[in-house]
Amino acid sequence: MRILFAPIAEKVLPSSLKATLMPLVARLDSALWEEGDQAAANRGALIVFFSRVVSAALAYALQVFLARILGSTEYGIFVTVWTILIIFSLFSCSGFSNSILRFVPEFNAQKDFARLNGFIFTAQRVGVFGSTAIALAGALATWVLSDTIESHFVLPLFLVAVCLPLMVYTNILESVARAYDWQLLAMMPAFLWRPTLIIIVMLGAWLAGFPPTAATACISAIIAIWAVAVLQTIMMRPRLRAVVPSVPKIIDFKFWLIVSTPMMLVDGFFQLTMSADILMVGYWMSPDQTGIYFAASRTLALLHFVFYAVRSVSAARLSRLYHSGDQNGLHAYSRTAAQMTFYPTVLLAVLLIPTAPLLLRLFGSDFMEALPALYILIFGVLARAAIGPADALLIMSGNQTTCAWVYASVFAANVAFNAVLIPALGLVGAALSTTLSTFIEAALIYAVTRKRVGVRAFFLAAPTAPAGSS
């Protein structure tokens, strides 16, 4: 049964709004019901967008809940080790979670099911074995250095090491689902199920009388991550069996690793750039200040979700357009993706500015200290949104090594800025450092994309490809 919104809107909308809203309603009907690649892409974008809206709200609710139940100091300890976990989860799979988005569409298009089968098999095992090795090494390093590490970090560090292998495994499955445009199956485990389970388990532990500490929160996260991994596996296996024929595997591990490793560096240095301020606030300042600053960072996630939603739904399509040689289509879609990122981000920023004090008060009265830093960080989010998912285009077009160097340079600049500004200006210094480095990042990504791919990835770019682009 098809429900068309255009006839309903025609009847209920006042005449003054019809001229403005009816084209949008018609596009919604088109995205929901039309056939073809464009309609499928639009449906995927809608699914990702609304899933991201829900997940952003849920993730924010999780952080407010944890801050309230743990207090600023224990919350600061938890978010520090959680940030470390996120960083190592990106480096643990050697980039295979990213290269899935390149190789799975490519092998499907070529009907090379032997390599497709071999690649998915290899990606899962590289992720699990690599993350297990890093988790063991991290636990050993924590034990050896336990006398030099601040005591309140030792147990949480051991606990997040237990999370790492299954978190990496779920990231691999998420990427496979995204490569096949199974958007709900890609989004729900990490962004909906996991935070919901953490809240449920943590609340249960608190009601049962367990102390509200960072260690308790880490144990709650372990239970949630492992439960999600089991459920995600159960749901993915029949879907994969239906689309991946059971043929003998061809494994080209050396080539795949050569392609994937720069992608790992791109994602890893990007996350380091996003997290450098939190880790360096944790180094220079007390855990409660880390928690307060992280609250500002999490509040900005309400803006960032637009960037991540567009990026996640665009990567596979950018890859198809690039490899098909459709330069005009690639440029047009890059411009559209930048507009889809920038304009909603601006709208949300306008809404966030007056509501930010209320949102920070949800964490607790002492979290209002982060308000100046939050306002500064908004400008960096807008700078990144202005170019849309241009970094994904670089990766999908084989320029992942160059993109990795860009992010490595931005990370180095970010660390240098933080080292100078945090001791002098505190949380405001961390925000200034991150914003400055984000402007550098956007300028470099734009310049490299134009030079290497021949595309102006910018929301104000001309609608046609630059003259002379190949």
Side-chain angles (χ1 to χ4, degrees):
M1 178 180 177
R2 294 188 176 188
I3 299 176
L4 297 176
F5 292 98
I8 298 173
E10 181 70 32
K11 292 179 180 179
V12 301
L13 285 177
S15 301
S16 58
L17 293 178
K18 283 184 180 179
T20 302
L21 296 181
M22 283 303 297
L24 298 177
V25 176
R27 290 180 66 182
L28 176 62
D29 283 340
S30 173
L32 289 174
W33 303 117
E34 282 189 4
E35 303 296 333
D37 289 342
Q38 180 63 48
N42 291 339
R43 277 192 293 274
L46 283 172
I47 291 170
V48 171
F49 179 78
F50 286 111
S51 297
R52 282 285 186 177
V53 170
V54 174
S55 68
L58 185 57
Y60 198 73
L62 170 63
Q63 298 306 322
V64 170
F65 170 76
L66 290 175
R68 282 288 188 177
I69 204 170
L70 297 177
S72 58
T73 298
E74 289 294 327
Y75 179 65
I77 295 168
F78 173 76
V79 299
T80 299
V81 298
W82 184 261
T83 301
I84 293 171
L85 171 66
I86 296 297
I87 291 170
F88 278 107
S89 71
L90 296 175
F91 284 101
S92 295
C93 55
S94 301
F96 277 82
S97 61
N98 300 92
S99 60
I100 285 171
L101 296 174
R102 170 180 170 178
F103 286 118
V104 168
E106 181 179 322
F107 292 149
N108 270 314
Q110 298 170 352
K111 299 191 182 303
D112 191 348
F113 298 118
R115 282 186 171 79
L116 175 64
N117 211 352
F119 181 79
I120 294 175
F121 174 87
T122 302
Q124 291 178 340
R125 278 144 189 84
V126 168
V128 172
F129 294 147
S131 58
T132 301
I134 289 177
L136 291 173
L140 178 61
T142 301
W143 177 68
V144 170
L145 300 173
S146 57
D147 291 336
T148 59
I149 298 173
E150 292 181 74
S151 59
H152 46 253
F153 283 112
V154 173
L155 180 56
L157 285 170
F158 279 121
L159 291 171
V160 295
V162 178
C163 292
L164 183 60
L166 266 294
M167 176 170 277
V168 170
Y169 173 71
T170 58
N171 289 346
I172 294 285
L173 292 183
E174 177 192 337
S175 294
V176 172
R178 285 170 56 196
Y180 280 103
D181 283 331
W182 301 335
Q183 299 297 343
L184 281 178
L185 193 52
M187 299 285 296
M188 290 177 66
F191 297 105
L192 300 178
W193 301 342
R194 188 166 69 201
T196 302
L197 282 175
I198 292 175
I199 291 174
I200 292 171
V201 175
M202 184 66 191
L203 182 60
W206 181 66
L207 292 174
F210 288 92
T213 63
T216 305
C218 289
I219 293 170
S220 301
I222 290 172
I223 295 171
I225 290 170
W226 281 63
V228 166
V230 171
L231 183 57
Q232 194 175 7
T233 300
I234 292 171
M235 296 185 69
M236 283 288 291
R237 279 185 175 174
R239 299 286 292 269
L240 284 174
R241 281 198 294 265
V243 297
V244 182
S246 180
V247 297
K249 303 176 184 69
I250 294 178
I251 296 177
D252 194 355
F253 178 73
K254 183 178 179 180
F255 173 69
W256 294 340
L257 183 64
I258 290 171
V259 173
S260 300
T261 299
M263 296 185 181
M264 171 197 70
L265 296 176
V266 170
D267 232 23
F269 279 117
F270 177 75
Q271 186 61 49
L272 283 170
T273 300
M274 296 283 289
S275 305
D277 50 354
I278 296 167
L279 296 179
M280 295 192 73
V281 168
Y283 177 79
W284 289 103
M285 305 179 75
S286 59
D288 66 303
Q289 291 294 295
T290 307
I292 289 170
Y293 185 82
F294 190 81
S297 176
R298 287 298 86 195
T299 302
L300 278 181
L302 301 174
L303 305 185
H304 273 303
F305 87 87
V306 178
F307 172 81
Y308 287 117
V310 175
R311 189 175 188 259
S312 62
V313 80
S314 297
R317 189 173 183 199
L318 288 169
S319 178
R320 288 194 294 268
L321 286 168
Y322 177 81
H323 290 289
S324 70
D326 183 3
Q327 188 68 16
N328 286 327
L330 181 64
H331 174 82
Y333 185 72
S334 297
R335 174 178 177 267
T336 299
Q339 292 173 338
M340 289 168 58
T341 307
F342 184 75
Y343 292 125
T345 303
V346 170
L347 176 60
L348 290 174
V350 170
L351 296 174
L352 178 61
I353 289 171
T355 57
L358 175 62
L359 293 172
L360 288 177
R361 283 195 190 97
L362 294 175
F363 289 83
S365 57
D366 48 345
F367 286 83
M368 283 296 294
E369 186 180 344
L371 188 60
L374 188 153
Y375 286 147
I376 294 169
L377 289 167
I378 287 175
F379 291 97
V381 176
L382 294 175
R384 179 175 288 125
I387 62 170
D391 61 332
L393 174 56
L394 285 176
I395 295 169
M396 295 302 108
S397 62
N399 290 287
Q400 59 268 20
T401 302
T402 303
C403 193
W405 277 109
V406 169
Y407 280 128
S409 303
V410 173
F411 170 64
N414 198 348
V415 170
F417 291 149
N418 275 295
V420 173
L421 295 178
I422 290 177
L425 300 174
L427 301 185
V428 169
L432 285 170
S433 301
T434 299
T435 300
L436 288 171
S437 62
T438 306
F439 271 89
I440 294 171
E441 169 200 317
L444 290 175
I445 292 290
Y446 172 83
V448 171
T449 304
R450 182 176 179 181
K451 180 178 180 181
R452 294 298 185 95
V453 189
V455 165
R456 289 192 178 102
F458 188 56
F459 75 103
L460 292 178
T464 56
S469 61
S470 58

